[in-house]
Amino acid sequence: MANKVSNFSDLIQRVTASCLLHPLGSGRRFADDVTDTHSGEDDSDYEEHNKSEKYYDDDEEDEVSPAVIEQAKGDAYKTERQMEMVMLMSEVFETVSSMKKAYVSLQEAHCPWDPDKMRLSDMAVLAEMRKLGVLRERFRRSVGKVGGGGATEATKRTVAGLTLREVVAPYEAAMEKLKTEVKSKEAEIENLREKLKTATVLNGGGSSGRKSRSHPHHQSKKKVNYSSQLQVSPSPMPEVFESCISSVKEGSKSFTSLLLSLMKSAHWDIAATVRSIEASTTTTAGAPAAVRDSIVGPNHAKYALESYVNRKIFQGFDHETFYMDGSLSSLLNPNQFRTECFTQYRDMKAMDPIELLGILPTCQFGNFCSKKYLSIVHPKMEESLFGDLEQRRQVLAGNHPRTGFYGEFLVLAKAVWLLHLLAFSLDPPPTHFEGSRGAEFHPQYMESVVRFPGGRVAAGHVVGFPVSPGFKLGNGSVVKARVYVVPKSEL
């Protein structure tokens, strides 16, 4: 009898282990085990087993191996973890996709400038980022559970961290906004420093300041009528004006170099282009004269191209609006107009032209840029250089392309615009001049773009063509015109 009970206990252990290790195939294995067991016993023994079953104590089940039970639990836990990770990754991918769409919408709101759409898109991006943060914490929390006994404390710390992050997130957004405002204030402070520096220069230094402190009424009068300062203390102004001229020169050289490189890449006939520019600088009875042989030496095509660019962009410089309209403010109210010009000069000096035109594309400066771009880059030139007329279409529609080529042009356009504002803030405004083809070279009014040994132009050289204009200020100061000189015999 003891032997039969032992056989039955062994049967129970085998069946239990099979169910725990192979839950899906338990029925089949159980049938096989029972069949195999019964095959070696007779019917009487089997009946004895059934009879003795009622005497079987429940404590026998506890004799199943603990290692087998732990393994079964581990398998079930792994399956649950896998399902949880699959669901979590699905949510991550959906959130990332939504964030990408929101970010694209945010970029589209920049051009054309749409503040409302930008604000909504920014909020959408932040919301998706917060969702990613929550999913990240869920992942950390689930990983913390694997640690066993210490998982409870780790989970508590993770949950606390999640709550803390959710609470801090709005403050972080507010902090970023405050940082942006701080940068804006810093730019404003730098602008005010420039204004103070300019005012100090215009007041003639410390002696003028002491004089102003001793006469408060005189000081307030000078603040109100700023143009009178320009008239009383004109001597420092050539320094500011010459600084603007230097900016124009650098911008002109940079844009011309880019334009020439694009022409070479497009396989332009540079020699023919130079001859065309030379012909346009020579007039006979109001019509262009033919140029038989080019006077431009090797590697000097950039000077001819720079001459073309400057002639186009400085056209109308003597008018208060470059003849974009019929305004006569400088004649009707000259004092107020001079003050406004100098205020615009100070305010715009530190601005990025691309950002300014992104906000105010059709302002007066924007109209100036559009007009000059269309004048310098004609349709055939643009199509040859870029393969299409997309930039021209945007300019004609009142927009400003965000391309490297147009950005380089804006640097030059801004420099010329600032020079124009500064010129019309002076009383009297400076007059500009240029060296015409064939004119005698005068070193007190002209500067050669081609360097000569010893720094002096050799005798017998004349102006081949003007490169950039010169200016004569009201106090007699002269900003020299840049010219390309050649031997007189070559003309």
Side-chain angles (χ1 to χ4, degrees):
M1 183 67 181
N3 186 29
K4 291 182 179 180
V5 171
S6 176
N7 291 338
F8 188 76
S9 298
D10 181 63
L11 173 65
I12 293 299
Q13 289 180 359
R14 290 174 58 190
V15 171
T16 303
S18 177
C19 290
L20 290 175
L21 292 176
H22 308 284
L24 296 179
S26 58
R28 179 178 56 81
R29 286 182 175 274
F30 177 73
D32 293 342
D33 291 341
V34 172
T35 303
D36 293 342
T37 304
H38 288 176
S39 62
E41 299 179 353
D42 56 6
D43 293 340
S44 60
D45 289 339
Y46 184 71
E47 289 178 0
E48 279 301 323
H49 291 165
N50 291 336
K51 290 179 181 179
S52 63
E53 185 177 1
K54 62 182 179 179
Y55 300 108
Y56 180 70
D57 193 340
D58 291 340
D59 292 338
E60 295 284 348
E61 287 184 341
D62 295 335
E63 296 179 4
V64 177
S65 174
V68 174
I69 297 176
E70 288 298 326
Q71 183 177 358
K73 290 182 178 180
D75 292 340
Y77 180 73
K78 288 180 180 178
T79 303
E80 181 183 356
R81 289 277 299 140
Q82 289 175 355
M83 293 299 297
E84 183 180 350
M85 287 296 103
V86 169
M87 295 177 62
L88 181 62
M89 291 307 299
S90 176
E91 292 184 37
V92 168
F93 286 128
E94 290 178 1
T95 305
V96 171
S97 178
S98 300
M99 186 173 68
K100 287 172 63 178
K101 293 179 181 178
Y103 185 73
V104 170
S105 178
L106 179 63
Q107 292 295 317
E108 292 175 347
H110 280 77
C111 186
W113 185 266
D114 190 342
D116 296 333
K117 183 178 179 181
M118 184 178 298
R119 183 172 59 257
L120 294 176
S121 302
D122 183 58
M123 293 173 61
V125 171
L126 289 176
E128 298 302 329
M129 291 180 69
R130 291 193 183 99
K131 287 182 182 179
L132 281 177
V134 172
L135 294 175
R136 180 184 62 182
E137 296 303 332
R138 279 178 53 188
F139 174 77
R140 290 180 177 177
R141 185 169 65 252
S142 61
V143 170
K145 293 179 181 179
V146 182
T152 304
E153 292 299 324
T155 304
K156 289 181 180 179
R157 288 195 298 269
T158 305
V159 173
L162 174 60
T163 305
L164 180 60
R165 288 178 181 275
E166 291 179 345
V167 172
V168 169
Y171 294 98
E172 290 179 345
M175 183 180 296
E176 292 299 325
K177 184 178 179 180
L178 289 174
K179 287 181 180 179
T180 304
E181 292 180 358
V182 167
K183 290 182 179 179
S184 176
K185 294 296 182 183
E186 288 177 349
E188 185 178 350
I189 290 172
E190 188 64 28
N191 188 23
L192 291 173
R193 285 176 179 170
E194 286 289 333
K195 293 179 181 180
L196 178 61
K197 183 178 178 181
T198 305
T200 304
V201 172
L202 292 173
N203 285 331
S207 60
S208 176
R210 288 191 296 269
K211 185 177 179 180
S212 297
R213 285 192 294 270
S214 62
H215 299 282
H217 176 71
H218 181 62
Q219 182 183 17
S220 62
K221 181 179 179 181
K222 294 179 87 175
K223 288 182 179 179
V224 173
N225 191 358
Y226 201 86
S227 62
S228 63
Q229 294 179 353
L230 302 179
Q231 190 172 7
V232 172
S233 306
S235 55
M237 289 308 298
E239 299 176 2
V240 182
F241 198 82
E242 288 174 6
S243 175
C244 281
I245 286 289
S246 298
S247 299
V248 172
K249 185 190 300 185
E250 294 301 320
S252 176
K253 288 181 179 180
S254 180
F255 177 71
T256 301
S257 297
L258 176 59
L259 184 58
L260 183 60
S261 66
L262 290 174
M263 288 179 173
K264 291 179 179 179
S265 299
H267 306 291
W268 276 43
D269 186 345
I270 303 300
T273 303
V274 170
R275 287 195 297 271
S276 175
I277 294 173
E278 291 180 49
S280 65
T281 62
T282 306
T283 57
T284 303
V291 177
R292 292 172 298 178
D293 297 317
S294 176
I295 61 174
V296 178
N299 302 321
H300 289 172
K302 58 184 178 181
Y303 298 127
L305 190 57
E306 187 178 354
S307 172
Y308 163 78
V309 171
N310 284 330
R311 188 170 69 252
K312 291 290 187 180
I313 203 165
F314 275 99
Q315 189 174 4
F317 189 88
D318 57 337
H319 189 263
E320 60 187 64
T321 62
F322 283 91
Y323 293 103
M324 290 187 293
D325 56 40
S327 175
L328 298 174
S329 300
S330 60
L331 300 177
L332 298 177
N333 197 344
N335 291 337
Q336 180 180 352
F337 183 75
R338 283 192 291 269
T339 304
E340 291 175 354
C341 284
F342 195 73
T343 301
Q344 291 180 36
Y345 164 79
R346 293 179 302 172
D347 293 343
M348 186 178 172
K349 185 178 179 181
M351 290 184 180
D352 184 349
I354 297 178
E355 294 182 1
L356 174 61
L357 296 180
I359 300 173
L360 300 171
T362 58
C363 64
Q364 198 171 22
F365 172 64
N367 294 335
F368 167 76
C369 294
S370 300
K371 178 182 177 182
K372 294 302 180 181
Y373 178 83
L374 297 175
S375 175
I376 294 173
V377 186
H378 51 77
K380 291 184 178 179
M381 178 189 292
E382 181 172 330
E383 187 174 11
S384 173
L385 297 179
F386 304 106
D388 55 38
L389 298 174
E390 179 59 28
Q391 295 184 87
R392 190 176 189 86
R393 281 193 289 267
Q394 291 189 40
V395 173
L396 289 172
N399 299 319
H400 298 274
R402 289 180 175 266
T403 62
F405 180 74
Y406 194 80
E408 198 70 42
F409 164 76
L410 286 182
V411 174
L412 172 61
K414 178 192 173 184
V416 174
W417 185 258
L418 289 176
L419 185 69
H420 182 262
L421 290 174
L422 189 57
F424 275 86
S425 67
L426 296 173
D427 184 22
T431 57
H432 75 285
F433 61 91
E434 63 181 22
S436 58
R437 180 183 176 90
E440 184 179 350
F441 180 79
H442 294 280
Q444 64 270 35
Y445 294 105
M446 302 176 188
E447 174 188 358
S448 174
V449 293
V450 180
R451 299 304 172 194
F452 287 83
R456 298 184 63 180
V457 177
H461 281 68
V462 295
V463 177
F465 55 82
V467 177
S468 63
F471 295 87
K472 185 175 182 180
L473 282 69
N475 67 341
S477 300
V478 174
V479 178
K480 296 179 181 180
R482 298 168 63 232
V483 296
Y484 184 85
V485 298
V486 295
K488 190 174 182 180
S489 58
E490 294 187 6
L491 291 180

